[in-house]
């Protein structure tokens, strides 16, 4: 997970990666103070765990968008073939339901990312 803290001198966000899911877990394994060096001004900053925060991942948004943008046209292309091959009302309804899959995957990826971020940001040590 990507975590962020603001530099006390230039107010630039310093980012770093961590595998910890909550602030409490972060404090247990990393300590209550994290020292980071700002990439912009080179200032050495010490941050309390409560000053560190998580943001929603751009990578999760990109992956979800790709699944949605590629999955939907593929389903639209193959649905008429499936319906014509098997025909019938229930087949048409089932095939139409398949169009919901890319949207469901898209929303599920974004929801899980929001939950992950909220879980980290909600806890205080």
């Amino acid at each position: 997970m990507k975590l962020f803290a603001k530099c006390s001198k230039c107010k630039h966000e310093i980012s770093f990666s961590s595998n910890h899911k909550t602030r409490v877990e972060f404090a247990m394994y990393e300590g209550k103070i994290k020292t980071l060096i700002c990439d912009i001004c080179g200032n050495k900053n010490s941050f309390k765990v409560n000053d560190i925060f998580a943001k929603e991942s751009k990578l999760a948004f990109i992956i979800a968008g790709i699944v949605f943008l590629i999955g939907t046209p593929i389903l639209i292309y193959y649905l008429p073939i499936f319906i014509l091959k098997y025909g019938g009302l229930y087949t048409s309804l089932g095939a139409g339901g398949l169009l919901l899959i890319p949207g469901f995957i898209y929303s599920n990826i974004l929801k899980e990312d929001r939950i992950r971020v909220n879980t980290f940001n909600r806890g205080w040590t």
Side-chain angles (χ1 to χ4, degrees):
M1 161 180 350
K2 205 70 147 151
L3 300 176
F4 298 88
K6 288 199 180 221
C7 175
S8 60
K9 186 175 181 183
C10 68
K11 305 299 182 203
H12 180 263
E13 287 184 349
I14 305 169
S15 66
F16 63 98
S17 296
S18 175
N19 292 328
H20 307 298
K21 294 180 177 141
T22 64
R23 282 190 171 117
V24 174
E25 185 179 337
F26 184 85
M28 282 175 36
Y29 293 106
E30 301 285 331
K32 291 191 176 191
I33 295 179
K34 177 79 173 173
T35 303
L36 299 169
I37 297 172
C38 181
D39 298 333
I40 303 299
C41 66
N43 189 27
K44 188 175 182 181
N45 297 291
S46 294
F47 298 101
K48 293 180 183 176
V49 176
N50 292 338
D51 296 334
I52 298 171
F53 57 95
K55 285 185 177 180
E56 292 183 11
S57 172
K58 292 178 185 174
L59 181 64
F61 181 73
I62 291 169
I63 291 172
I66 288 171
V67 166
F68 185 74
L69 292 175
I70 291 175
T72 303
I74 289 172
L75 282 174
I76 289 173
Y77 177 76
Y78 285 109
L79 277 180
I81 297 168
F82 183 73
I83 291 172
L84 290 175
K85 184 175 182 181
Y86 296 107
L89 176 65
Y90 293 117
T91 304
S92 299
L93 291 174
L98 287 175
L99 284 172
L100 298 174
I101 292 173
F104 177 73
I105 293 171
Y106 174 81
S107 65
N108 199 27
I109 289 173
L110 294 182
K111 182 180 119 188
E112 290 299 319
D113 189 45
R114 261 185 256 116
I115 289 171
R116 179 186 58 78
V117 168
N118 288 341
T119 300
F120 185 87
N121 289 338
R122 187 177 316 127
W124 295 93
T125 58

